[in-house]
């Protein structure tokens, strides 16, 4: 593992810790308003740190599209967290790896292979098990699966726009995510200003480490390795997410959920092996 890949691995640790941080903060804030605070803080931090370096006009359009996919991804994810556990959310989010080939086909012209279909089938079996193996998938788990589809779009677009200035792309995708989140929260959610320290800790961590640091490093260092090696590294995110949920929240996966988590990771790793 080279230095760039070690940095990407550290990002999965940062992202894994966001699951319990968001879960706890939802006791104090509506979900999309939480995102508006999170990404608003991140926008201000990037402007303070990098100033005019991030305001390049040539990346505004690409940043808009990336920000739109992130808004849907984070929106489905955090609303889903109200109805499922942080551990489930972490593993189901990783389905973006098996969804990516089906998004890349129309956007990048990459053909879908039999292995892609097998990986998807294995991972969806895991989703069924981790969601309780009932007649329907849990509402929170279903929203989180839609989050994974949105993140698959984001990964494909990052590959497509990868030659652009990484700092500016990181800023504009965060900026547009903030704009979409704020507009939605003002229209559909109660206006809440948290007075307890706990949600501010969650906001501070997710804004600084889960957003500014993680997305900037992702856009800088992912171009220094291959897509499949990056995907292999990112597949560690649900492991760190589940571990942090166990340590910080005391969450435990049931035996059936553990089997489902194994199937999801098996589908992810089978998809990565094709490369």
């Amino acid at each position: 593992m080279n230095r760039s890949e070690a940095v990407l691995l550290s990002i999965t640790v940062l992202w894994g810790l966001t699951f319990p941080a968001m879960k706890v903060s939802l006791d104090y804030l509506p979900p999309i308003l939480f995102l508006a605070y999170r990404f608003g803080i991140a926008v201000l931090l990037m402007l303070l740190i990098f100033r005019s370096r991030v305001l390049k006009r040539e990346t505004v359009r690409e940043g808009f599209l990336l920000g739109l996919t992130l808004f849907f991804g984070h929106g489905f994810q955090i609303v889903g967290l109200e109805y499922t556990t942080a551990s489930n959310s972490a593993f189901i989010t990783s389905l973006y790896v098996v969804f990516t080939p089906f998004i890349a086909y129309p956007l990048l012209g990459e053909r879908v292979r039999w292995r892609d279909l097998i990986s998807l089938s294995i991972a969806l079996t895991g989703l069924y098990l981790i969601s309780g193996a009932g007649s329907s998938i849990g509402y929170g788990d279903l929203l989180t699966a839609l989050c994974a589809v949105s993140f698959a779009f984001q990964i494909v677009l990052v590959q497509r726009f990868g030659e652009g200035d990484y700092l500016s792309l990181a800023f504009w995708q965060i900026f547009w995510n903030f704009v979409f989140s704020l507009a939605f929260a003002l229209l559909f959610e109660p206006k809440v200003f948290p007075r307890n320290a706990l949600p501010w800790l969650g906001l501070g961590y997710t804004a600084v480490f889960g957003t500014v640091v993680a997305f900037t490093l992702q856009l800088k260092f992912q171009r220094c390795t291959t897509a499949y090696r990056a995907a292999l590294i990112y597949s560690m995110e649900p492991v760190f997410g589940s571990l942090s949920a166990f340590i910080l929240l005391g969450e435990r996966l049931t035996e059936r959920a553990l089997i489902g988590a194994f199937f999801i990771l098996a589908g992810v790793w089978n998809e990565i092996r094709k490369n």
Side-chain angles (χ1 to χ4, degrees):
M1 178 178 290
N2 59 36
R3 176 174 173 269
S4 296
E5 292 169 345
V7 172
L8 295 182
L9 180 62
S10 71
I11 292 173
T12 67
V13 179
L14 298 179
W15 280 336
L17 286 166
T18 63
F19 290 96
M22 291 189 293
K23 183 70 173 178
V24 170
S25 298
L26 288 177
D27 292 333
Y28 303 88
L29 284 168
I32 307 301
L33 183 60
F34 174 89
L35 295 181
Y37 277 118
R38 170 184 173 177
F39 290 103
I41 294 169
V43 166
L44 290 175
L45 283 174
M46 292 201 74
L47 286 173
L48 286 172
I49 296 169
F50 301 111
R51 301 182 184 275
S52 60
R53 290 177 60 193
V54 299
L55 298 176
K56 295 183 178 180
R57 293 183 180 180
E58 57 267 27
T59 55
V60 173
R61 175 182 170 275
E62 289 84 354
F64 175 86
L65 294 174
L66 288 171
L68 186 63
T69 60
L70 283 181
F71 167 68
F72 281 109
H74 285 107
F76 284 130
Q77 183 183 64
I78 197 165
V79 175
L81 261 173
E82 290 193 298
Y83 304 97
T84 191
T85 65
S87 298
N88 274 25
S89 181
F91 280 106
I92 296 170
T93 296
S94 70
L95 288 171
Y96 68 78
V97 176
V98 297
F99 292 148
T100 296
F102 300 92
I103 308 301
Y105 172 69
L107 294 183
L108 301 179
E110 297 180 2
R111 68 188 181 94
V112 177
R113 303 169 185 266
W114 276 108
R115 186 185 289 272
D116 300 324
L117 295 170
I118 294 171
S119 299
L120 181 64
S121 300
I122 295 171
L124 290 180
T125 300
L127 172 62
Y128 171 73
L129 291 171
I130 206 171
S131 190
S135 58
S136 61
I137 297 174
Y139 181 61
D141 295 334
L142 176 61
L143 290 177
T144 310
L146 292 175
C147 140
V149 174
S150 302
F151 284 149
F153 272 99
Q154 193 260 356
I155 289 169
V156 172
L157 290 177
V158 165
Q159 183 175 344
R160 185 166 181 173
F161 304 146
E163 298 303 317
D165 179 81
Y166 75 90
L167 273 180
S168 185
L169 272 176
F171 171 78
W172 286 119
Q173 72 171 355
I174 292 169
F175 171 81
W176 288 114
N177 199 345
F178 162 66
V179 170
F180 297 136
S181 301
L182 180 63
F184 186 97
L186 290 176
L187 287 172
F188 301 109
E189 291 185 337
K191 287 68 178 174
V192 178
F193 185 82
R195 302 184 182 278
N196 191 292
L198 199 57
W200 284 112
L201 287 173
L203 285 167
Y205 176 80
T206 57
V208 177
F209 297 100
T211 304
V212 175
V213 175
F215 283 125
T216 302
L217 292 177
Q218 179 199 21
L219 285 167
K220 180 177 182 179
F221 289 99
Q222 185 175 316
R223 65 185 69 187
C224 301
T225 188
T226 61
Y228 86 91
R229 288 184 66 83
L232 177 60
I233 293 167
Y234 294 152
S235 70
M236 290 301 296
E237 179 186 348
V239 177
F240 292 124
S242 183
L243 182 62
S244 61
F246 170 72
I247 294 172
L248 298 175
L249 304 180
E251 288 187 1
R252 296 175 182 271
L253 289 171
T254 64
E255 182 177 337
R256 181 177 290 165
L258 280 171
I259 296 171
F262 171 79
F263 269 88
I264 289 175
L265 287 179
V268 168
W269 290 332
N270 184 63
E271 178 62 29
I272 293 166
R273 281 182 58 242
K274 76 176 184 179
N275 295 293

